[in-house]
Amino acid sequence: MTATEWAIVVLSLKVGGIAVLFTLPLAFGLAWLLARSSFPGKVVLDGFVHLPLVLPPVVTGWLLLLLFAPEGPVGMLVDDLFGASVLFRWSGAAIAAGVMALPLMVRAIRLSLEAVDKRLEEAARTLGAGRTRTFVRITLPLALPGILAGMMLGFARALGEFGATITFVSNIPGETRTLPLAIYTQLQTPGGEAAVIRLAAISVGIALLALVASEVLARRSGRGVHVL
Amino acid sequence: MSFDIDIEVARGERVISCAFRTGDGITCLVGPSGAGKTTILSAVAGLARPRRGHIVVRSRTLFAPGIDLPPEKRHCGYVFQDARLFPHMRVRENLDFARRPRFDRNEIAESLGIAHLLARWPRTLSGGETRRVAIARALLANSDFLLFDEPLVSLDPPRAEEIAALIRRVHEDYELPVLYVTHDRSEAKRLGARLIDFEGNEVA
């Protein structure tokens, strides 16, 4: 492993970790809406959330580019707030990874929320717990395995993100060149096979670790429900 | 007077009406399966909203036009038919779930014969033990009154006899009015309960 390769691994973990952490509140909110409420347009919202799963990633990346471009609606807002752009930055790579991880996270969290027995929540209410306490003491711990599994799944997906990232924030060494982009670059470089093997092995290792961690965490918490 | 109830509750297509007043003893609402007994208990506990009427327990209005206390403010100890112990908490945490309990947890656990179960997980308890813990948890919920939904169902006869005796004792020791529903009249009689139907008529 060269120093550059280590830097790529660290960058990938940073991009994936930040992507999952910042996507989590949104994913949880959406999962809650989809699992626990009915409103007109729910089907449309459901479809919209799942769009990144079925769209060609290049299209997702291009749409992000339109949104976050300096004259794009979100790009102007980001520029006003922070005086900077996410284009060609690692933060942009995290946004692309987060968008691609969102549907998987929403799916896992939604399933776990739907699996929480509402009768237990009712029992908690009769025992004097208000809505907030019921959520914190009953709903959240019982849904936790699914939430953790969703985060790990989202993390694994974020690490593998390629198409949307390269379209949205390009392939800049040290900034947006995450593991898949580095592997792609090495494949295009004569004599890069050895590096490809090392980086690919690391990718497999991290992905496996994330999946195993998700399973172990899920088994440990709550009733030993496992989600994967 | 303990319970003064006159309500109409919608359940699916049907409307269930129920009106009765009770004294301080154990009152047993009897009716065939599917009559809506659980729905009435749910309404008293605040888990189902009546279409109209009033629910007054021990002079405290829980539901009336313009009043609808949320379940957590009704101070009811509800022993569900399926117990509903929290599976991710040990027995001790289940008992400690309610804040500001009126009684001491260890004393209740001792009295109900579950002191040795405090460190156990609910899934490891037998049917009779589960009922005992559910009753203890309801007692510890700062309850003004107790609701029982078929608590003897699916217990073998000796266990059912034990739990019935326990319910009688809890009612007497802690001076809490009890509203009990069952489809089994002989069970209700064993409890020394006053039997009424949905119209509040005494049932023999």
Side-chain angles (χ1 to χ4, degrees):
Chain A
M1 286 281 288
T2 65
T4 320
E5 286 167 5
W6 272 117
I8 289 165
V9 172
V10 171
L11 175 70
S12 299
L13 293 175
K14 179 169 87 171
V15 166
I18 296 278
V20 167
L21 281 183
F22 278 79
T23 308
L24 181 63
L26 179 65
F28 189 87
L30 287 167
W32 183 270
L33 271 179
L34 292 171
R36 291 300 179 96
S37 55
S38 57
F39 51 90
K42 187 171 161 178
V43 184
V44 178
L45 179 69
D46 197 19
F48 203 72
V49 166
H50 284 89
L51 217 50
L53 210 58
V54 287
L55 270 182
V58 178
V59 175
T60 306
W62 176 67
L63 290 173
L64 284 173
L65 196 57
L66 292 184
L67 280 175
F68 283 90
E71 63 283 3
V74 186
M76 287 204 295
L77 189 73
V78 172
D79 190 45
D80 279 352
L81 288 175
F82 306 107
S85 169
V86 297
L87 291 186
F88 314 114
R89 301 295 309 277
W90 71 268
S91 46
I95 290 173
V99 167
M100 298 303 289
L102 181 74
L104 287 176
M105 291 171 70
V106 171
R107 257 184 118 75
I109 298 171
R110 177 187 179 169
L111 283 176
S112 67
L113 284 174
E114 282 170 349
V116 171
D117 191 344
K118 287 207 182 66
R119 295 172 310 164
L120 295 174
E121 295 173 351
E122 288 183 353
R125 297 291 301 277
T126 67
L127 291 167
R131 287 177 194 281
T132 312
R133 197 165 126 80
T134 300
F135 174 75
V136 173
R137 295 286 313 273
I138 307 296
T139 318
L140 203 54
L142 289 175
L144 197 60
I147 296 171
L148 291 174
M151 286 175 73
M152 286 299 168
L153 218 56
F155 181 64
R157 178 66 190 83
L159 283 180
E161 176 29 48
F162 178 79
T165 309
I166 202 163
T167 315
F168 180 34
V169 290
S170 184
N171 181 4
I172 300 164
E175 190 68 38
T176 66
R177 185 172 291 170
T178 53
L179 271 168
L181 275 69
I183 293 171
Y184 173 75
T185 309
Q186 289 298 335
L187 279 172
Q188 308 288 312
T189 313
E193 289 80 7
V196 168
I197 291 170
R198 284 195 298 273
L199 292 171
I202 292 170
S203 292
V204 172
I206 297 177
L208 267 179
L209 216 65
L211 291 175
V212 171
S214 138
E215 182 69 11
V216 169
L217 281 169
R219 275 173 200 250
R220 261 205 197 164
S221 55
R223 290 167 291 174
V225 179
H226 51 104
V227 190
L228 287 176
Chain B
M1 195 173 359
S2 293
F3 295 93
D4 175 4
I5 291 170
D6 183 354
I7 46 171
E8 266 178 21
V9 197
R11 194 182 66 175
E13 305 274 288
R14 280 174 56 204
V15 175
I16 297 154
S17 333
C18 185
F20 60 86
R21 292 172 170 202
T22 73
D24 281 331
I26 298 180
T27 304
C28 190
L29 187 62
V30 290
S33 294
K37 300 185 291 292
T38 302
T39 306
I40 298 301
L41 287 193
S42 294
V44 176
L47 300 173
R49 194 191 160 90
R51 295 204 316 187
R52 53 146 224 92
H54 64 260
I55 301 169
V56 181
V57 182
R58 282 187 149 176
S59 317
R60 205 163 148 254
T61 304
L62 308 183
F63 181 86
I67 301 174
D68 184 10
L69 293 185
E72 64 269 23
K73 299 237 163 75
R74 295 200 176 194
H75 302 172
C76 90
Y78 192 163
V79 181
F80 297 92
Q81 187 178 338
D82 48 1
R84 305 193 190 180
L85 300 184
F86 304 130
H88 59 301
M89 298 181 193
R90 290 173 192 273
V91 169
R92 181 183 288 110
E93 287 119 49
N94 263 282
L95 297 183
D96 291 345
F97 184 81
R99 287 169 171 167
R100 294 184 301 275
R102 184 177 302 165
F103 310 113
D104 178 64
R105 183 243 289 158
N106 290 334
E107 205 181 297
I108 294 273
E110 199 64 53
S111 160
L112 270 63
I114 54 167
H116 62 293
L117 302 175
L118 290 179
R120 297 262 295 270
W121 292 101
R123 63 171 178 273
T124 68
L125 302 178
S126 70
E129 288 169 342
T130 301
R131 298 296 151 88
R132 283 170 186 272
V133 174
I135 295 170
R137 189 178 69 172
L139 271 174
L140 285 166
N142 191 21
S143 314
D144 286 341
F145 58 100
L146 296 174
L147 304 175
F148 287 93
D149 189 357
E150 307 250 12
L152 308 188
V153 93
S154 76
L155 290 179
D156 56 56
R159 285 295 94 66
E161 194 53 58
E162 264 176 50
I163 299 293
L166 185 68
I167 292 169
R168 260 195 320 268
R169 190 155 62 78
V170 161
H171 162 67
E172 283 157 14
D173 289 358
Y174 301 100
E175 296 177 339
L176 296 173
V178 169
L179 182 60
Y180 187 107
V181 305
T182 181
H183 66 279
D184 182 352
R185 290 183 188 187
S186 63
E187 173 185 318
K189 282 176 188 154
R190 247 194 342 233
L191 278 167
R194 181 173 160 250
L195 274 63
I196 52 167
D197 63 16
F198 278 47
E199 281 84 46
N201 300 318
E202 200 96 26
V203 178

